Amino acid sequence: MPVKHTASNGIYKVTSTQTLEYTKPVNKKSSVINIPDRITLNGLDYTVTSVGSKAFKNNKYLKKVSIGNNVVENIGNSAFGHTGIESVTFDKSLVSIGNYAFYKCPKLSSVKVGRSVRLIGKQCFYGCKKLRTLNIQSPGLSQKYIGSNAFKGTPAKMKAYVPRKQAKNYKKLFLKRGMRKTVTFKGIR
């Protein structure tokens, strides 16, 4: 059963006795959303651990989302697809970014993905034509866990920052997943 929490501008779904999933905003015209680490509902404390599928889909007003440190499970399928989001930083604990999560976000220019991400869904960043900076800190990505066309339609002059030891492998892998050959890869620690 969905639960409304006006203070955080969110509607949540209880996923266990102590955890919640952010499912959608209360005010869909908000340009800035803060998904908190924890909230109290009916006197009980809950940890927010995920962003649900289609949570912000087609929300043209959305510009920025701050995602709490406890959102560690996943960003759902199509969670931010077709939105006006401009940049996003994921906590170092996030494990998975779903299919179409940022599909055709025309204003998305910067993405920072933490060390724990193991899965990037198909067409995740498809058609993000203004994506200039992609910073992926995770050393554990493999071909099996990056979906088809995950980077198709991103700019030719994009810069991809990846772990230094994986730079060569990631370049091959990302090219197979739709990234252009002209993208500049830079190794980070």
Side-chain angles (χ1 to χ4, degrees):
M1 176 168 94
V3 182
K4 187 178 188 178
H5 188 257
T6 311
S8 67
N9 187 23
I11 297 176
Y12 297 86
K13 178 173 86 173
V14 177
T15 54
S16 78
T17 56
Q18 297 178 334
T19 63
L20 297 172
E21 175 179 86
Y22 185 98
T23 60
K24 63 184 176 181
V26 174
N27 178 356
K28 294 179 182 176
K29 291 188 176 184
S30 293
S31 62
V32 178
I33 301 282
N34 178 34
I35 299 174
D37 294 338
R38 306 181 65 75
I39 62 171
T40 302
L41 294 170
N42 303 325
L44 299 172
D45 287 334
Y46 289 93
T47 302
V48 182
T49 59
S50 62
V51 176
S53 295
K54 301 180 182 177
F56 298 98
K57 187 175 180 183
N58 297 322
N59 184 334
K60 301 296 181 195
Y61 299 100
L62 186 67
K63 301 266 184 259
K64 183 178 180 185
V65 175
S66 296
I67 298 174
N69 291 333
N70 291 327
V71 177
V72 295
E73 292 175 9
N74 76 318
I75 301 299
N77 295 339
S78 302
F80 297 96
H82 295 278
T83 65
I85 194 165
E86 296 172 357
S87 70
V88 66
T89 298
F90 296 113
D91 181 69
K92 58 187 172 207
S93 302
L94 181 71
V95 175
S96 124
I97 305 171
N99 298 332
Y100 315 103
F102 295 93
Y103 185 85
K104 292 192 176 181
C105 289
K107 297 179 181 179
L108 184 63
S109 64
S110 174
V111 174
K112 185 174 181 181
V113 176
R115 296 185 51 79
S116 298
V117 167
R118 297 292 178 258
L119 183 135
I120 296 175
K122 69 180 176 182
Q123 297 186 9
C124 184
F125 299 105
Y126 182 97
C128 294
K129 295 180 179 188
K130 290 191 177 179
L131 185 58
R132 298 285 180 234
T133 306
L134 179 65
N135 184 326
I136 296 184
Q137 299 177 344
S138 175
L141 292 171
S142 66
Q143 185 169 339
K144 182 177 178 183
Y145 296 106
I146 297 181
S148 62
N149 296 318
F151 304 106
K152 189 170 180 93
T154 54
K157 294 186 178 186
M158 182 170 64
K159 289 189 170 98
Y161 297 90
V162 297
R164 187 174 289 134
K165 291 181 180 179
Q166 279 80 19
K168 188 176 179 180
N169 290 335
Y170 277 13
K171 184 172 184 173
K172 287 180 192 174
L173 177 57
F174 292 179
L175 289 174
K176 288 180 183 177
R177 295 298 184 245
M179 195 173 275
R180 298 177 191 214
K181 292 180 182 179
T182 54
V183 169
T184 304
F185 276 78
K186 298 200 178 224
I188 57 173
R189 291 181 194 219

